[in-house]
Amino acid sequence: MTKRLEGKVALITGASSGIGEATALALAAEGAQVAVVARRADRLQELVKRIHEQDGTAVPVVADVADEKQVQNVVNHVKGKLGRIDILVNNAGLMLLGMIDGANTEDWRRMVDVNIMGLLYTTHSVLPIMKEQKNGHIINISSVAGRTARAGSGVYNVTKWGVVALSEALRQEVYKDHIRVSVIEPGAVATELTEHITDEEAKKKQAEWLQGITPLESEDIANAIVYAVTQPERVNVNEILIRPTEQER
Ligand code: NDP
């Protein structure tokens, strides 16, 4: 049976864990050749091994998306190796929660550099390829935090709100080139995301809140992405907001 993404090439950032890893597995299972990008080489190697064991094709690329030159090299490498780029999943991200007053401003810079600048660099590097192909699909991972602001989440809100705004502006700029843009806005997903929070108080609060609900699994978000990228060419799924059933806001 022909798989739905046979012949397609997908580039997924932040594929060494969580949502990115699950998305790489799901797209590969649908027949896409996947280029998986992150900083942790060992985790990428393990993922590539799993995809190969399932008869898929995967190429690991170690890079920091916050470095524009590295991103350009990634995109050139993937195009050289796999010949095209049909799907870009801008997933790499950090959620360094904490109050604005008294924050470690290095947390802010890291979030802006990865969640916004990283996403912009990959998009900027991939667009000429998609325009030449006259076809492409860019999936941007925002968050419920891109729709609802919360005390203790201000700068993460800034970055994810920015991703929603950027996605709509980009869609209007590239729809004539048959490039689709979708923004995915997950609520709480059980991943390593919260482990990187540097503010101990914010980390504790988030862990306590998470213990009170059943969060989503990374595969739930991967399924939403598979839905968006397997629609007929005429369909552009612009936005998917997806919360755990037990999450209030
Ligand atoms: P994880 O921490 O499991 O995954 C984050 C991924 O981003 C890792 O693969 C990490 O890889 C990668 N990454 C981080 N910094 C960089 C960098 N500078 N360059 C390249 N890759 C980088 O968390 P999630 O899977 O949860 O997060 C994925 C996305 O989903 C994020 O954008 C997050 O904001 C968003 N999201 C998550 C939610 C949740 O509740 N979990 C809810 C809503 C949105 P490495 O460290 O190897 O570089």
Side-chain angles (χ1 to χ4, degrees), residues 93-113:
L94 295 165
M95 181 184 71
L96 306 174
L97 298 178
M99 299 297 227
I100 294 161
D101 184 26
N104 177 351
T105 56
E106 184 54 25
D107 281 356
W108 298 353
R109 273 184 289 277
R110 285 175 64 205
M111 281 193 285
V112 170
D113 283 350

Side-chain angles (χ1 to χ4, degrees), residues 30-97:
E30 290 288 352
Q33 296 179 285
V34 296
V36 290
V37 182
R39 292 164 305 170
R40 286 172 294 176
D42 52 336
R43 298 281 291 259
L44 291 180
Q45 287 298 349
E46 277 171 40
L47 172 63
V48 165
K49 193 162 161 263
R50 280 173 71 192
I51 292 172
H52 288 167
E53 281 165 5
Q54 293 162 17
D55 292 329
T57 304
V59 174
V61 200
V62 178
D64 181 341
V65 297
D67 181 326
E68 185 173 13
K69 193 76 210 143
Q70 286 189 38
V71 171
Q72 286 166 348
N73 290 340
V74 167
V75 171
N76 290 339
H77 176 72
V78 174
K79 169 83 162 79
K81 202 136 179 127
L82 301 175
R84 49 190 298 116
I85 299 177
D86 302 285
I87 299 165
L88 166 65
V89 183
N90 276 317
N91 165 76
L94 295 165
M95 181 184 71
L96 306 174
L97 298 178

Side-chain angles (χ1 to χ4, degrees), residues 19-213:
I19 295 169
E21 182 183 20
T23 301
L25 285 161
L27 297 182
E30 290 288 352
Q33 296 179 285
V34 296
V36 290
V37 182
R39 292 164 305 170
R40 286 172 294 176
D42 52 336
R43 298 281 291 259
L44 291 180
Q45 287 298 349
E46 277 171 40
L47 172 63
V48 165
K49 193 162 161 263
R50 280 173 71 192
I51 292 172
H52 288 167
E53 281 165 5
Q54 293 162 17
D55 292 329
T57 304
V59 174
V61 200
V62 178
D64 181 341
V65 297
D67 181 326
E68 185 173 13
K69 193 76 210 143
Q70 286 189 38
V71 171
Q72 286 166 348
N73 290 340
V74 167
V75 171
N76 290 339
H77 176 72
V78 174
K79 169 83 162 79
K81 202 136 179 127
L82 301 175
R84 49 190 298 116
I85 299 177
D86 302 285
I87 299 165
L88 166 65
V89 183
N90 276 317
N91 165 76
L94 295 165
M95 181 184 71
L96 306 174
L97 298 178
M99 299 297 227
I100 294 161
D101 184 26
N104 177 351
T105 56
E106 184 54 25
D107 281 356
W108 298 353
R109 273 184 289 277
R110 285 175 64 205
M111 281 193 285
V112 170
D113 283 350
V114 177
N115 301 5
I116 297 185
M117 295 312 294
L119 180 144
L120 285 168
Y121 294 146
T122 47
T123 302
H124 184 252
S125 293
V126 160
L127 276 177
I129 296 170
M130 291 184 168
K131 280 183 120 164
E132 201 190 325
Q133 292 169 179
K134 291 235 161 292
N135 192 277
H137 199 151
I138 297 176
I139 305 281
N140 291 332
I141 308 299
S142 174
S143 169
V144 162
R147 298 270 303 250
T148 307
R150 216 161 37 85
S153 173
V155 179
Y156 185 61
N157 288 135
V158 165
T159 64
K160 293 302 183 180
W161 223 281
V163 172
V164 174
L166 177 87
S167 301
E168 174 56 14
L170 179 66
R171 186 190 67 76
Q172 292 177 25
E173 289 185 19
V174 298
Y175 77 94
K176 283 194 175 136
D177 298 294
H178 296 274
I179 299 171
R180 297 185 274 184
V181 181
S182 306
V183 62
I184 314 286
E185 299 153 340
V189 187
T191 68
E192 298 171 17
L193 194 71
T194 51
E195 289 173 22
H196 306 293
I197 300 172
T198 64
D199 180 319
E200 288 308 324
E201 188 56 38
K203 194 174 186 171
K204 191 165 151 255
K205 224 171 132 190
Q206 185 70 7
E208 281 167 6
W209 174 70
L210 271 172
Q211 271 166 15
I213 64 165

